[in-house]
Amino acid sequence: MSEHPATWLLSGVRPLGGAACDLLLRAGSIAEVGPAGSLGAAGAEVLDGDGLVALPGLVDLHTHLREPGREDAETVETGTAAAAVGGYVAVHAMANTDPVADTAGVVEQVWRLGREAGHVDVRPVGAVTAGLEGERLAELGAMADSAAGVRVFSDDGRCVSDAVLMRRALEYVKAFDGVIAQHAQEPRLTEDAQMNEGELSGRLGLRGWPAVAEEAVIARDALLAGHVGSRLHVCHVSTAGSVDILRWAKSKGWRVTAEVTPHHLLLSDELVSTYDPVYKVNPPLRTRDDVDALRVALADGTVDAVATDHAPHPVEDKECEWAAAAFGMVGLETALSVVQDAMVDSGLLDWAGVADRMSVRPARIGRVAGHGRALAVGEPAHVTLVDPAARRAVDPATLASRSRNTPYAGMSLPGRVVATFLRGRPTQLDGKLTS
Amino acid sequence: MKRHLLSAADLSRDDALLVLDTAEELARVSDRAVKKLPTLRGRTVVNLFFEDSTRTRISFEAAAKRLSADVINFSAKGSSLSKGESLKDTALTLEAMGADAVVVRHSASGAPHRLATSGWIGGSVVNAGDGTHEHPTQALLDAFTMRRHLGPLTDRRVIIVGDVLHSRVARSNVLLLHTLGAEVTLVAPPTLLPVGVETWPCAAAYDLDSVLPKADAVMMLRVQRERMGAAYFPSVREYSRRYGLHAGRLGVLPEHALILHPGPMNRGLEITAEAADGARSVIVEQVANGVSVRMAVLYLLLGGSEPG
């Protein structure tokens, strides 16, 4: 797959932002760790890591790779390339493809395409209900037992709104330690919804997506998860009220986890007043108060993970009227920079915290073996190197993703992912793919 | 004046008064035997209507023609919303035709804004009604009509009644009337007032009868019958009783107060024939004034020579 040697010396890097040291990657594992300048480089390619922060390779719980079905927007190849460029070593491929990933056959196909591409480990997400129709359970066990080894199940894009079906799904996946990742959106309260419901939606004449439509479902599902003792994961939490409910659910000891997207940590709804659909996303951009609450929640661990909700769309699905445009933003290649901007540079989270929220906990929630581990001798060599002192202007034209719908075009963001190692081999160096 | 008219908020007080004063001058043209000025000769105005609205299109068409502009009517029903030609391709087509102004009506809020800011076209964009957002020339013609009867609108009390939530007319009127110094009160059942209305530059009330006695003008909004299925109100009968302008309420309304309606009316629902056709109704005048106001807008945006 890669022509680079199997042994790498990462010299002078700062694991989790701590003291500089040398990491020797050999045969897919971290073979040696020593003080900076202490490790010999015999037979190894040396990467001068002076000033770079080393993180365990990032794991995304929420990626839309679009294949099969929408290869005009993204493929497993291009989407995982974007992931590698962004510092990811594993991604969870969402199930809302065409055909839907609701059978062992489809999840195995996506998994196999991921292996062939080789940029990251692809963990397919299985649909909760057949065809995402919300009427009967998909064959969850068959997907769990397949070569893809599915552990995360989600109808993402749609909410499992039927309370009985949600209860059954939560119960059923206990048999194989699965988790239901809920897209929390009460459908009746959000019919034809276009943006956050508030003063601005009223003024812009765009139909509102009220916070209560998210919060009510999270509350119900947390209660259900507590009642049946199952694992619930809440996708893309977007409101301050959701944070309060999650905090309460966790205080009960229930097995509830949650993710927040980079864009909900940085952007707010006033951008919608441009009517530029690049800012159209579901759940919608919320208020500045929500953004602040989400940052605090990520910092204190109420929200467990950052997940990109990378949602590629072709140009024509965004170059149109707001109401006609598709929901979603690409995010894999900017996630770490956005998190640095919103969380690290603001003093809310250190790099150890970033590693925890972007690698350790996502891997644990997704039950991704071998990922999200410490940067220690004997662990798999999944390493992301970031230069926190760099700044860059986001240029959509240079994205590895097939799509260009980034809301950060032209923005200056801190940090640059310098290298990503998967099982000891670089998948990208200086933003360039190695394979 | 800005280059585009997308929102009533684009107009400063001076801009708004300039439009109204210019409209007064231009209205005199409509009283002449030859209703035509050479001001916009050689300029092209495109009426781009993604949504049916014969009355608004005809009004803009008459306005442009009375200023001697070339008028192209582009009925693009079946926008990208229904998988026809995209807004962008339509815009590029118009640009290729050399449109100096594009008058756009669209069911999607913000569509004129997109046309004006996307770089697809170079001409001025006039919002002729976009979704549930705004309809600034309607607000201008309403203000023009009220000003003719009431004089300057400073401190005048205007009541807007009905489906504010879905009304572009209400949004534009609140903004413009506030700019002109009037006091606006929105009256509707709570289900038909938008979230955040308390931040708008107006008052809001649920009870029509309590505000009518002090009104200088009352504007009745059209109620779409399809709102009923969505539980905004229990029945047409109940809506009419609580929010309709009927004979009983006419007695409470001051003698000098005007009755307006942007049309088309649901007679018997939000307004009875007695109110619509009575002496205080200026609904037919609104239509005539629409042409004058739109002439003024096109004239000022396209920077024509002095009206003669």
Side-chain angles (χ1 to χ4, degrees), chain A residues 116-173:
Chain A
E116 286 164 12
H119 302 300
V120 299
D121 288 344
V122 172
R123 299 274 300 164
V125 174
V128 176
T129 67
L132 307 176
E133 295 293 343
E135 284 166 9
R136 58 188 176 84
L137 291 182
E139 291 195 343
L140 308 178
M143 290 188 276
D145 294 341
S146 73
V150 175
R151 290 295 176 273
V152 180
F153 299 89
S154 181
D155 275 2
D156 181 64
R158 301 202 194 164
C159 181
V160 181
S161 62
D162 183 303
V164 172
L165 204 56
M166 186 61 185
R167 175 197 170 139
R168 299 287 180 242
L170 283 166
E171 288 176 309
Y172 194 80
V173 298

Side-chain angles (χ1 to χ4, degrees), chain A residues 33-88:
Chain A
V33 179
S38 69
L39 296 188
E45 190 146 334
V46 180
L47 189 153
D48 177 5
D50 185 35
L52 304 184
V53 171
L55 302 172
L58 307 183
V59 177
D60 193 17
L61 276 168
H62 196 141
T63 312
H64 295 277
L65 294 177
R66 301 291 187 225
E67 189 176 2
R70 285 307 299 267
E71 290 82 357
D72 57 327
E74 196 80 286
T75 62
V76 174
E77 163 62 33
T78 59
T80 56
V85 168
Y88 286 90

Side-chain angles (χ1 to χ4, degrees), chain A residues 188 191 197-207 210 272-278 315-325, chain B residues 50 79-81 83 86-88 106 108-111 113-114 117 120 130-134 166 171 175 194-196 199-200 227 232:
Chain A
R188 286 277 284 141
E191 278 171 15
E197 182 168 285
E199 184 268 327
L200 197 57
S201 62
R203 196 147 55 78
L204 296 177
L206 291 172
R207 189 166 299 188
V272 179
S273 59
T274 62
Y275 287 107
D276 184 341
V278 78
V315 172
E316 58 272 23
D317 286 352
K318 288 289 190 180
E319 256 189 354
C320 54
E321 309 87 308
W322 181 277
Chain B
F50 289 90
S79 64
S80 60
L81 285 168
K83 297 291 172 201
S86 76
L87 182 66
K88 180 182 179 179
H106 203 295
S109 299
H113 200 281
R114 284 290 279 162
T117 58
W120 299 329
D130 62 329
T132 54
H133 178 223
E134 285 215 42
H166 301 95
R171 279 172 182 73
L175 293 167
V195 168
T199 65
W200 292 17
R227 303 287 174 231
Y232 287 104

Side-chain angles (χ1 to χ4, degrees), chain A residues 288-328:
Chain A
R288 196 35 65 182
D289 287 345
D290 293 306
V291 169
D292 292 341
L294 290 166
R295 290 182 180 194
V296 170
L298 183 66
D300 72 19
T302 302
V303 169
D304 300 81
V306 174
T308 65
D309 196 6
H310 177 81
H313 289 290
V315 172
E316 58 272 23
D317 286 352
K318 288 289 190 180
E319 256 189 354
C320 54
E321 309 87 308
W322 181 277
F327 290 98

